[in-house]
Amino acid sequence: MNTSAIPHFDDMQVPEWTDADLKATFVAIDEKFARAQSVEDLIAAIRFWDGEQRRISTWKEWVSVRFTQNTSDVTRKDARERMEALWPSVTDHGVQIKRMLLNHAQRAEIEAFYGPEIFEKWTLDIATFDPIIADDLVEESTLSAQYTELMASAELPFRGETLNLSTILKFMQDSDRTVREEATALYWGWFETNRAELDRIFGALVTLRTNMAKKLGMPSHTELGYLRMQRLDYGPADVAKFREQVRQYVVPLAQALRREQAQRLGLDELMFWDETVFDPSGNPAPQGDHDWMVERATEMFDAMHPELSSFFRLLNERGLMDLKSRQGKAGGGYCTAFLEFGVPFIYANFNGTKGDVVVFTHEMGHAFQGWSSQNKPLMDQVWPTMESAEIHSMSLEFLTWPHMEKFFGGDADRFRRQHLAETLLFLPYGVAVDHFQHLIYDRPDATPEERNAMWQEVEALYLPWRNYGDIAALKRGAAWQRQLHIYGMPFYYIDYTLAATCALQFWVRSEENADAALADYVKLCARGGDAPFRELCRSAGLRAPFDDGALAGIAAHAARVLGVSA
Ligand code: ZN
């Protein structure tokens, strides 16, 4: 691939789209379709539409990235708000085109060219959007941004430093118990102070989403939520079956891991703030700073696979990673793409913990998949649905295991052991978040206190070992409020657990034959979003997580490797 035309991030020219620009482009697209006589004309019109969509989406991602890079910059905030205000018109036009193509006299010929899956995807897009909810979507985005801003505004005075909700995490994992307890209390004290605002934003989101679902003729936001996640080949009953498998096979293993952890730390009782520490000598941490880490990651991908190697070098050369934590920078990590330039972008907040390494293995997995499949004929075929996308990221976390000595030296084994334990321990938390959201949208009129009680109900099912001590926000059931997805991306969270179940299958296979597993992984990335979840699983030789036995085998193998018995 010729990459010389790809600009450096700092040199990217991304003009703002005004309402008039968008309208003119929509007219041009509509005219191309209206004039199309033959199938060739139609395909040319689709290509033109797709190209414009890639340019418009680049603008959207660009202003979103720039906002998260500095949430206190008013210019960036305004640019993002202008984009958000115009976005429903983009969605509306896209839906019109999709509806026209679905009902087109020559649909069979177009379907033969692009494949049937894309039409199924478009059917869902149409079901989840109608101009009658356009204003609600803007409001939803505004409320989510309020949560992001509120969280990014936290200033926590800790032992002479001012920390934010990202940079304090390092102290919440400190090997000194007093330090981590103090940091944990400070972190959750902020949630107690901001309790009213956190409850207000969430309450408004639940009401708004429920009304949107009703306007679209659905009984609750659960139905709408599944459609918005573009779930084509599974539903709430399958997800409930998966949660039950987690409860049956993983929760007992997780309890055994927590008991073993308490013993190793020499504690009578494992408190919430102890859960992040797996070893009395502290968690393994990378042995260098940001620049050193980028060098090690370059060596790692060079050693793994020629395609991973050239791609990571390109990301680095073109400034397509923003990894350092700064005041005012939004928390978290993500990967997105500027499709007009044909490149992904990786965002993180390095804080000196082993989590930083995960950025190179997790977000790089997303980025590599986007890169591998960006030349699909249609933009909607580039990214798969989220549960499939997380297979690419989480599997790379396991496929990079043999190279962890580069980052952790003699601590690599401790890292791998902890990574596996944490992935297993994540499953009960992940399904708890999912179960909680089903309860929330079943009873949208619940009070904040009732919502907290719902959280406590799911905690008892999946996280029975939790002990919060005297931390007020946690004791009253507000632990869910730190979870961005619950505010901003309803019903997304289960996707991580479904993908983790697939990634753990890659782990088992990689232990048998690392090269063969990596080759299958690279092939799966190149498929991008050209099929729904179950089909992608099947094509990569993975068992779908809902199916009987998907977790029993993994749990048994992991218990053997970790030397615990549930
Ligand atoms: Zn991810």
Side-chain angles (χ1 to χ4, degrees):
M1 186 179 287
N2 180 16
T3 57
S4 58
I6 296 170
H8 190 279
F9 178 73
D10 296 338
D11 301 326
M12 281 182 185
Q13 300 292 320
V14 185
E16 175 159 340
W17 287 72
T18 64
D19 193 27
D21 296 334
L22 288 171
K23 284 199 175 109
T25 301
F26 298 157
V27 168
I29 293 167
D30 294 345
E31 279 174 359
K32 278 239 182 327
F33 278 109
R35 281 203 300 269
Q37 302 279 336
S38 60
V39 175
E40 289 71 37
D41 290 349
L42 258 179
I43 287 169
I46 292 173
R47 277 206 188 106
F48 177 70
W49 167 54
D50 191 70
E52 293 302 298
Q53 277 196 308
R54 286 181 196 238
R55 285 174 53 209
I56 297 169
S57 108
T58 298
W59 162 60
K60 178 182 198 267
E61 298 308 324
W62 169 261
V63 296
S64 304
V65 166
R66 300 251 311 153
F67 168 68
T68 52
Q69 285 182 313
N70 187 354
T71 58
S72 54
D73 182 332
V74 182
T75 332
R76 294 179 182 208
K77 193 177 159 205
D78 290 349
R80 181 188 177 278
E81 275 173 12
R82 287 195 299 275
M83 179 279 291
E84 292 287 351
L86 292 175
W87 199 253
S89 72
V90 177
T91 311
D92 187 23
H93 183 260
V95 164
Q96 285 174 35
I97 299 288
K98 290 170 191 176
R99 187 174 284 129
M100 179 268 294
L101 289 170
L102 285 166
N103 297 315
H104 204 280
Q106 286 163 301
R107 170 170 167 173
E109 288 87 340
I110 318 169
E111 220 178 288
F113 189 82
Y114 289 109
E117 285 87 1
I118 195 67
F119 280 83
E120 291 173 28
K121 223 176 197 178
W122 288 346
T123 307
L124 294 192
D125 290 345
I126 287 173
T128 56
F129 183 79
D130 190 286
I132 54 170
I133 60 161
D135 291 344
D136 297 331
L137 291 171
V138 177
E139 178 65 12
E140 185 185 26
S141 162
T142 306
L143 286 164
S144 295
Q146 283 174 11
Y147 173 78
T148 307
E149 279 169 53
L150 180 63
M151 297 277 284
S153 73
E155 290 185 11
L156 310 170
F158 185 78
R159 304 193 171 197
E161 280 183 77
T162 301
L163 304 173
N164 59 35
L165 293 177
S166 294
T167 48
I168 197 172
L169 295 176
K170 176 179 180 164
F171 297 99
M172 291 163 70
Q173 305 178 14
D174 200 283
S175 54
D176 182 335
R177 198 182 198 198
T178 322
V179 172
R180 62 181 187 259
E181 182 177 357
E182 198 183 312
T184 304
L186 185 65
Y187 179 96
W188 287 102
W190 183 87
F191 283 81
E192 195 60 17
T193 310
N194 292 275
R195 173 180 181 172
E197 185 63 356
L198 288 161
D199 285 339
R200 179 196 67 79
I201 296 171
F202 190 65
L205 279 165
V206 172
T207 306
L208 186 75
R209 287 174 180 147
T210 303
N211 288 339
M212 272 196 273
K214 296 249 158 83
K215 286 182 191 174
L216 294 172
M218 296 176 212
S220 80
H221 184 67
T222 306
E223 289 77 12
L224 178 56
Y226 273 65
L227 291 178
R228 282 168 101 180
M229 295 304 297
Q230 297 186 312
R231 289 173 185 156
L232 275 172
D233 54 1
Y234 65 94
D238 298 299
V239 173
K241 207 173 149 196
F242 173 71
R243 288 198 303 259
E244 180 51 27
Q245 286 195 65
V246 172
R247 205 192 53 75
Q248 206 176 334
Y249 299 107
V250 183
V251 171
L253 177 59
Q255 280 180 294
L257 284 169
R258 291 300 187 199
R259 278 195 302 271
E260 192 223 16
Q261 186 181 3
Q263 273 171 13
R264 214 172 329 121
L265 296 175
L267 302 171
D268 291 337
E269 204 167 3
L270 190 81
M271 301 302 289
F272 180 59
W273 46 90
D274 301 319
E275 289 188 10
T276 52
V277 178
F278 280 75
D279 205 300
S281 50
N283 289 340
Q287 297 174 337
D289 63 4
H290 169 275
D291 295 356
W292 180 90
M293 298 267 287
V294 173
E295 282 169 28
R296 297 293 81 71
T298 308
E299 289 170 11
M300 172 173 75
F301 292 121
D302 284 353
M304 279 180 78
H305 196 279
E307 287 181 46
L308 287 167
S309 160
S310 59
F311 171 62
F312 185 75
R313 286 172 174 273
L314 178 81
L315 279 183
N316 192 22
E317 276 163 27
R318 303 298 155 88
L320 295 164
M321 301 188 281
D322 179 358
L323 309 176
K324 290 178 184 168
S325 191
R326 298 182 296 275
Q327 200 65 39
K329 185 174 163 180
Y334 62 77
C335 167
T336 184
F338 307 123
L339 289 176
E340 182 183 349
F341 305 111
V343 282
F345 182 88
I346 292 179
Y347 178 96
N349 278 281
F350 273 15
N351 57 11
T353 67
K354 66 186 172 54
D356 297 351
V357 175
V358 173
V359 171
F360 292 122
T361 57
H362 182 102
E363 300 304 341
M364 171 68 178
H366 287 306
F368 180 67
Q369 179 265 307
W371 173 252
S372 307
S373 50
Q374 61 166 320
N375 292 324
K376 294 275 173 203
L378 297 169
M379 192 177 99
D380 285 347
Q381 294 168 322
V382 174
W383 302 104
T385 41
M386 295 302 178
E387 74 295 269
S388 305
E390 296 301 334
I391 303 178
H392 308 122
S393 52
M394 290 186 173
S395 299
L396 196 59
E397 293 179 30
F398 284 101
L399 294 167
T400 51
W401 264 28
H403 305 274
M404 287 299 109
E405 271 75 5
K406 287 190 193 304
F407 298 97
F408 299 104
D411 271 349
D413 256 335
R414 284 207 303 135
F415 168 80
R416 283 186 281 261
R417 202 186 151 77
Q418 188 174 335
H419 177 223
L420 176 59
E422 283 181 329
T423 305
L424 294 163
L425 288 165
F426 172 71
L427 294 174
Y429 175 73
V431 298
V433 168
D434 179 69
H435 198 155
F436 173 68
Q437 295 183 92
H438 283 82
L439 298 178
I440 288 290
Y441 291 103
D442 278 353
R443 280 194 51 211
D445 52 351
T447 64
E449 290 71 27
E450 287 168 334
R451 291 190 179 120
N452 292 341
M454 290 175 193
W455 175 254
Q456 288 173 324
E457 185 187 323
V458 300
E459 270 189 336
L461 274 179
Y462 305 106
L463 307 162
W465 58 83
R466 281 258 155 114
N467 190 338
Y468 291 128
D470 281 327
I471 299 180
L474 297 173
K475 265 171 64 182
R476 63 177 169 83
W480 58 272
Q481 293 193 321
R482 72 171 290 184
Q483 198 60 60
L484 162 78
H485 302 69
I486 296 176
Y487 281 80
M489 292 162 262
F491 294 105
Y492 183 147
Y493 216 64
I494 195 69
D495 292 31
Y496 291 109
T497 64
L498 299 176
T501 305
C502 294
L504 286 165
Q505 294 179 60
F506 263 119
W507 165 66
V508 174
R509 278 159 65 180
S510 177
E511 290 215 312
E512 289 157 9
N513 185 339
D515 288 343
L518 186 58
D520 283 348
Y521 169 81
V522 170
K523 255 188 266 167
L524 178 68
C525 287
R527 286 208 68 178
D530 68 11
F533 179 56
R534 279 182 190 267
E535 169 55 23
L536 289 175
C537 285
R538 192 164 37 238
S539 78
L542 303 166
R543 201 193 279 250
F546 327 104
D547 295 349
D548 285 334
L551 274 169
I554 291 169
H557 186 70
R560 271 195 303 277
V561 168
L562 294 168
V564 291
S565 51

